[in-house]
Amino acid sequence: MKLTFIFSTKKHWWAIGARFIEWADGVPFSHVCMQIETEAGSQPYIYEAIFPYSRRISKADWLAHGNVEVKSFEFDIQPWQMSLLRESLYEQIGKRYSVIELAMQGVGIAFKGLKKKINRISWKIENELICTEYAMRVIEKVYGLHGDRKPKMSLRDVYRECRLLKGVE
């Protein structure tokens, strides 16, 4: 089984929200999702937190929605990690997308002076999440990472975590 963290963007010119996230975080992508491939040649599925609800979607359908891969990190899942991976993916499906959290995080990133003040406020609404939170929950559960994580992880932070897991940094 393979787990791939995909950092992506939207190819549509009118995806203003995506362009804002890329600009504010200083990265060439606006989204992170997880791809699961159970065996070579099988249809991969994407797990993502997206408006209005987090979901599981085929890779073909995901690409048809205008998503473009910018960078990815592929990991082999060991047999002992499989149940942890499935649990971490499935328990998030159907949760509402947290538009408020995304907006506040975006403001904090774009206006660096406000970031510390915004991060002190809990914008978290129970049973809602954004894409970076979904990815970090998977990373923490599958790889047993329980450090002093920031409550509001940016795309840049998740990208860094993937690089560390891959041994790139």
Side-chain angles (χ1 to χ4, degrees), residues 95-113:
K95 289 192 177 180
R96 287 174 27 138
Y97 191 77
S98 183
V99 175
I100 292 172
E101 188 174 345
L102 178 66
M104 291 300 100
Q105 188 173 353
V107 168
I109 292 169
F111 303 101
K112 306 289 187 220

Side-chain angles (χ1 to χ4, degrees), residues 1-2 36-44:
M1 181 181 282
K2 298 211 181 281
I36 301 301
E37 196 171 344
T38 54
E39 54 190 60
S42 68
Q43 174 173 289

Side-chain angles (χ1 to χ4, degrees), residues 79-92:
W80 63 271
Q81 294 173 305
M82 287 184 190
S83 62
L84 294 171
L85 175 61
R86 284 189 183 103
E87 183 181 326
S88 65
L89 291 170
Y90 292 139
E91 67 188 8
Q92 307 306 322

Side-chain angles (χ1 to χ4, degrees), residues 73 156-157 159-169:
F73 295 93
R156 182 184 297 273
D157 295 328
Y159 183 79
R160 187 177 312 114
E161 288 292 328
C162 287
R163 286 178 55 91
L164 288 170
L165 284 172
K166 205 63 177 161
V168 177
E169 284 185 340

Side-chain angles (χ1 to χ4, degrees), residues 84 136-150 161:
L84 294 171
M136 282 309 300
R137 286 181 182 184
V138 170
I139 289 171
E140 289 172 353
K141 191 156 218 164
V142 173
Y143 294 98
L145 302 177
H146 300 287
D148 184 26
R149 302 255 180 255
K150 294 187 278 185
E161 288 292 328

Side-chain angles (χ1 to χ4, degrees), residues 62-78:
W62 183 78
L63 290 169
H65 283 103
N67 294 295
V68 178
E69 278 188 46
V70 175
K71 179 69 179 166
S72 63
F73 295 93
E74 183 180 280
F75 299 91
D76 288 319
I77 297 300
Q78 302 306 312

